[in-house]
Amino acid sequence: MKLIKIIVSTLFAFGILFADISLQDDACVSCHLEVDEDLDVPVMSNMVNDIHIQVGLSCADCHGGDPTAFDDSDAAMWDDNSFIGSIENREQPKVCGSCHSNSVYMREYSTSIRIDQVDQYWTSRHGILLQKGDTKVATCSSCHGVHGIYPKDDPRSKVYALNVPNTCASCHSDAVYMKEYNILTDQLEKFKLSVHGVSLLDKQDIYSPACNDCHGNHGAIPPDVTHISDICGSCHINNKNLFKDSFLREVFLENGISECEACHGNHGVMVPTAEMLNWADQSICLKCHDEGDTEAKDMSLAFYRTIDSLHTQLSSVENLISTAERKGMEVSDLYIHLEDAHRILIQTRTNIHSFDLDYVNKTAEEGFNVINEAVIGANKVLDELNYRRKGLLVFSRSEEHTSELQSHSFISYAVFCLKKKNS
């Protein structure tokens, strides 16, 4: 264990050479490297690649004290009025904000770093509770770490897109820790199975939404009923606009129904299917409507049949074109029809959020027309294939007959020559 600590200390000392040569003369660094040898979790080990070290900052920039007092720990820390020591949760926004909220200071390092993080934090659920004296809530270090803070686009960072769900879950999936807040702790479990979670965590698509994309970053707060569609609509803009213009939105608001979430859920959003509209066990409509609500039932089933029919016919013509392609026929033009049909199918699904049957049917009709053109084209290609096959068969038989005639003529001539010789 001691050997490992020595190696860690050596690596840190080697690493700071590339960060800032002046750190070699930093009393905080030299002292804590020695202290770390007796700690199970060395304080300095995670700081080698810390973003603050990389830009030339060191311990005193956050903790205060006198980094030049090598031989006197009191002078380095306790006798210096600027020394903070361990930064308590309630003090973190103020300490971090002393730099991160200063536009003049931050401009020295980057013009793209926002300086409103602390102001946003005080509006968040975490910040509001902290101001009330609750020190269990998340503060700066809860999400970004303490020593060893990496830029948000560094895969090692706790706030890197792929790491955000687990960072939030470090508190929000802890049933004991969250018990007093009366908050569910199954968010991460549901998210992993959702369409967003699979895309982010399984497919490693960093542009897929994580917790902060819906709840916010420093100003994280649960969205209220009237703003859920705005949050979902930041990605699904067409769905949002169609629903906002629909007659159903006012009904939702009057009854306190949370728009998108009411049908699709929140953390466990699944891939939408036509079965969600089928007036059966899996129909989301039955969550609000009674079985005997004929008006809702007729609209739901009309939407279901339209989408199901589009999907079925599209799959059928895809198989037809694929068959022709496997048999060596040229079908590249037909794939253009398929792309158009797929696009229209997606548009039709989206347009359902208008809750306007005529509008949905108008879009679907275009899709049926495109599919019909693709069917005609595919059948034409397959007819051409059959024609070629018949022509080849006739040609093959003709060749066979000609060969037989030639063989018969040769034999007859040979017999004639033999008889003439004998005579």
Side-chain angles (χ1 to χ4, degrees):
M1 177 62 76
K2 188 171 183 178
L3 176 61
I4 293 175
K5 292 175 181 176
I6 293 173
I7 293 173
V8 168
S9 300
T10 303
L11 287 174
F12 177 80
F14 182 75
I16 63 175
L17 291 174
F18 298 95
D20 186 4
I21 197 70
S22 64
L23 289 184
Q24 298 176 82
D25 300 321
D26 192 306
C28 307
V29 173
S30 61
C31 180
H32 277 279
L33 284 174
E34 293 181 11
V35 173
D36 276 356
E37 293 183 10
D38 298 319
L39 297 178
D40 292 332
V41 181
V43 173
M44 308 297 287
S45 62
N46 293 328
M47 290 188 66
V48 178
N49 296 311
D50 188 284
I51 184 61
H52 301 101
I53 296 295
Q54 294 297 311
V55 298
L57 302 176
S58 187
C59 313
D61 290 289
C62 295
H63 294 278
D66 182 2
T68 66
F70 280 89
D71 299 323
D72 190 340
S73 60
D74 286 337
M77 297 181 289
W78 314 115
D79 294 340
D80 192 302
N81 292 331
S82 68
F83 181 68
I84 300 175
S86 179
I87 304 171
E88 301 296 331
N89 274 12
R90 63 172 62 89
E91 298 297 327
Q92 283 188 24
K94 178 182 177 181
V95 173
C96 296
S98 64
C99 291
H100 282 275
S101 295
N102 187 329
S103 60
V104 176
Y105 181 82
M106 294 305 296
R107 194 177 296 121
E108 297 178 25
Y109 303 100
S110 174
T111 57
S112 63
I113 297 178
R114 295 178 61 170
I115 57 168
D116 62 346
Q117 298 101 324
V118 175
D119 287 339
Q120 283 199 20
Y121 176 77
W122 292 128
T123 68
S124 73
R125 184 64 177 162
H126 300 133
I128 291 170
L129 290 177
L130 183 64
Q131 287 182 314
K132 292 180 178 180
D134 185 351
T135 57
K136 286 181 62 177
V137 298
T139 54
C140 313
S141 62
S142 305
C143 301
H144 293 278
V146 184
H147 302 125
I149 298 174
Y150 300 102
K152 63 183 177 62
D153 57 354
D154 189 315
R156 296 170 295 180
S157 171
K158 293 179 66 177
V159 294
Y160 182 64
L162 300 181
N163 301 330
V164 166
N166 284 320
T167 296
C168 296
S170 62
C171 291
H172 283 276
S173 289
D174 188 332
V176 175
Y177 194 83
M178 299 301 297
K179 184 177 180 180
E180 65 183 88
Y181 301 105
N182 194 29
I183 296 176
L184 295 174
T185 55
D186 60 352
Q187 298 96 329
L188 180 61
E189 181 182 346
K190 287 183 176 180
F191 178 76
K192 285 181 176 179
L193 300 175
S194 74
V195 61
H196 299 137
V198 169
S199 180
L200 179 71
L201 302 176
D202 294 349
K203 298 180 180 179
Q204 303 282 288
D205 181 358
I206 62 173
Y207 298 105
S208 299
C211 317
N212 58 318
D213 292 289
C214 299
H215 293 280
N217 296 301
H218 300 95
I221 195 166
D224 58 32
V225 169
T226 58
H227 291 100
I228 284 178
S229 66
D230 292 319
I231 292 169
C232 298
S234 62
C235 292
H236 304 283
I237 187 167
N238 291 330
N239 307 56
K240 178 191 80 169
N241 291 336
L242 286 168
F243 184 78
K244 279 198 168 184
D245 292 336
S246 74
F247 76 92
L248 204 57
R249 182 171 187 262
E250 290 302 319
V251 177
F252 272 45
L253 293 178
E254 289 173 4
N255 291 276
I257 302 173
S258 54
E259 302 188 3
C260 315
E261 182 185 355
C263 298
H264 296 281
N266 45 24
H267 300 101
V269 178
M270 294 289 106
V271 178
T273 66
E275 290 303 319
M276 294 172 67
L277 296 165
N278 194 4
W279 201 262
D281 293 340
Q282 296 182 46
S283 174
I284 56 173
C285 305
L286 290 172
K287 290 171 61 178
C288 297
H289 294 278
D290 294 329
E291 184 75 38
D293 189 337
T294 56
E295 184 178 358
K297 181 179 181 180
D298 290 344
M299 176 175 283
S300 175
L301 287 176
F303 286 157
Y304 167 73
R305 288 164 184 156
T306 298
I307 290 179
D308 186 61
S309 181
L310 264 178
H311 181 268
T312 301
Q313 291 188 36
L314 179 56
S315 297
S316 178
V317 73
E318 280 179 332
N319 291 333
L320 205 61
I321 293 173
S322 178
T323 298
E325 186 177 36
R326 287 198 305 271
K327 293 182 178 181
M329 301 303 290
E330 172 57 42
V331 294
S332 56
D333 289 345
L334 298 179
Y335 275 108
I336 296 176
H337 290 305
L338 289 185
E339 290 177 5
D340 287 342
H342 273 290
R343 173 181 54 80
I344 295 169
L345 174 59
I346 293 171
Q347 286 180 342
T348 305
R349 287 171 172 166
T350 299
N351 289 351
I352 283 175
H353 296 86
S354 69
F355 293 94
D356 184 333
L357 189 56
D358 291 335
Y359 182 62
V360 172
N361 286 340
K362 183 178 179 180
T363 307
E365 183 179 358
E366 184 183 352
F368 288 124
N369 291 336
V370 171
I371 290 172
N372 187 52
E373 289 180 21
V375 171
I376 293 172
N379 285 328
K380 184 177 179 180
V381 169
L382 290 173
D383 287 344
E384 182 182 349
L385 175 63
N386 291 331
Y387 177 78
R388 290 180 182 182
R389 284 179 170 176
K390 289 178 181 179
L392 181 61
L393 179 62
V394 171
F395 177 76
S396 298
R397 288 181 176 176
S398 176
E399 285 286 301
E400 181 181 345
H401 181 64
T402 301
S403 178
E404 289 177 356
L405 288 175
Q406 290 175 344
S407 177
H408 180 73
S409 298
F410 175 78
I411 294 172
S412 298
Y413 179 72
V415 170
F416 169 76
C417 292
L418 182 61
K419 286 182 177 180
K420 187 175 182 180
K421 181 180 180 181
N422 291 335
S423 63

